[in-house]
């Protein structure tokens, strides 16, 4: 896929994250269990996983800036954080064999790392004032469980999109071969 389409896909999943957050709002007092949908970030990790580290950094930084502008508070924070994590996803994808479990663990660890950094940043700036244990039990566990399921759904969606692109590319190649044969036979 082209990066323009991938950017639109990430933007779509960031919108889906906002809709899910609207339907299942977080508890601001951290007294009840809640979760945060991070399908946009997982989608970003899956896209960065297939690119070079520089492309992963730039694409992720752009998506982070889009999230900062439209969906979050704290302008350059997500742009920088997503850029670094996107470059890490690209770099780590080159270190071993390709498998779904390896991709899952890389994306899952980056998700945990992103959540820990966000918690630390928002705690230092005073945006949230809650103890780590309370935050982890009432918010992060639900987030990790929901996003684990979301990862496999996203991986399936990306697999279907890749197969569609492959079928389309093969169909276009066949049509070009037929056209070339006709041109050779007619002598034009």
């Amino acid at each position: 896929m082209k990066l323009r389409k991938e950017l639109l896909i990430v933007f779509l999943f960031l919108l889906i994250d906002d809709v899910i957050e609207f339907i299942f709002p977080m508890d601001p007092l951290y007294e009840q269990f809640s979760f945060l949908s991070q399908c946009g970030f997982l989608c970003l990790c899956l896209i960065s996983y297939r690119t070079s580290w520089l492309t992963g950094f730039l694409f992720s930084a752009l998506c982070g800036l889009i999230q900062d502008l439209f969906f979050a508070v704290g302008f350059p924070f997500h742009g920088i954080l997503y850029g670094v994590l996107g470059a890490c996803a690209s770099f780590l994808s080159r270190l071993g064999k390709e498998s779904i479990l390896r991709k899952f663990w890389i994306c899952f660890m980056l998700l945990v790392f992103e959540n820990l950094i966000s918690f630390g940043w928002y705690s230092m700036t005073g945006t949230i004032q809650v103890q780590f244990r309370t935050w982890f039990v009432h918010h992060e566990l639900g987030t990790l469980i929901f996003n684990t399921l979301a990862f496999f759904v996203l991986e399936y969606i990306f697999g279907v999109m890749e197969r569609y692109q492959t079928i389309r590319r093969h169909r276009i190649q066949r049509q070009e071969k037929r056209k070339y044969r006709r041109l050779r036979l007619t002598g034009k």
Side-chain angles (χ1 to χ4, degrees):
M1 267 191 298
K2 295 183 179 180
L3 286 177
R4 277 182 288 147
K5 290 180 183 176
E6 291 172 344
L7 185 63
L8 289 174
I9 290 170
V10 171
F11 188 73
L12 174 72
F13 279 106
L14 289 173
L15 286 173
I16 290 171
D17 286 343
D18 267 4
V19 169
I20 291 172
E21 188 175 340
F22 179 74
I23 294 170
F24 302 104
M26 285 182 34
D27 179 22
L29 301 175
Y30 294 95
E31 294 175 350
Q32 298 175 348
F33 293 102
S34 61
F35 68 92
L36 179 65
S37 173
Q38 293 179 317
C39 295
F41 179 75
L42 289 173
C43 184
L44 181 68
C45 285
L46 289 172
I47 291 170
S48 296
Y49 189 85
R50 298 181 287 114
T51 62
S52 68
W53 71 270
L54 183 59
T55 305
F57 174 78
L58 294 174
F59 182 75
S60 300
L62 176 64
C63 292
L65 290 174
I66 288 172
Q67 181 173 1
D68 282 334
L69 287 174
F70 296 112
F71 305 108
V73 179
F75 176 62
F77 176 69
H78 287 98
I80 295 167
L81 180 63
Y82 283 13
V84 170
L85 294 177
C88 288
S90 300
F91 178 74
L92 291 172
S93 70
R94 309 285 185 266
L95 296 179
K97 290 184 177 181
E98 177 78 21
S99 74
I100 184 96
L101 287 177
R102 184 171 185 283
K103 191 183 294 188
F104 168 72
W105 283 113
I106 288 173
C107 291
F108 186 76
M109 288 301 133
L110 290 175
L111 179 72
V112 170
F113 193 60
E114 189 265 334
N115 287 338
L116 290 174
I117 289 175
S118 295
F119 173 77
W121 174 258
Y122 291 135
S123 291
M124 285 186 341
T125 59
T127 306
I128 60 173
Q129 297 174 353
V130 67
Q131 293 179 351
F132 177 77
R133 195 185 90 196
T134 305
W135 169 80
F136 189 81
V137 170
H138 288 274
H139 175 69
E140 187 63 15
L141 287 178
T143 299
L144 294 177
I145 291 168
F146 176 80
N147 289 311
T148 297
L149 300 173
F151 171 82
F152 289 108
V153 170
L154 285 171
E155 181 63 28
Y156 177 76
I157 290 170
F158 274 95
V160 168
M161 288 171 43
E162 264 184 51
R163 287 189 294 275
Y164 173 75
Q165 290 292 328
T166 303
I167 291 169
R168 187 169 181 245
R169 188 173 53 247
H170 287 299
R171 187 176 298 146
I172 290 171
Q173 287 173 350
R174 275 186 280 155
Q175 289 174 350
E176 288 175 356
K177 284 180 183 179
R178 286 183 201 145
K179 190 184 293 185
Y180 180 70
R181 278 189 213 131
R182 276 190 234 134
L183 287 175
R184 276 187 36 202
L185 292 174
T186 59
K188 292 183 181 179

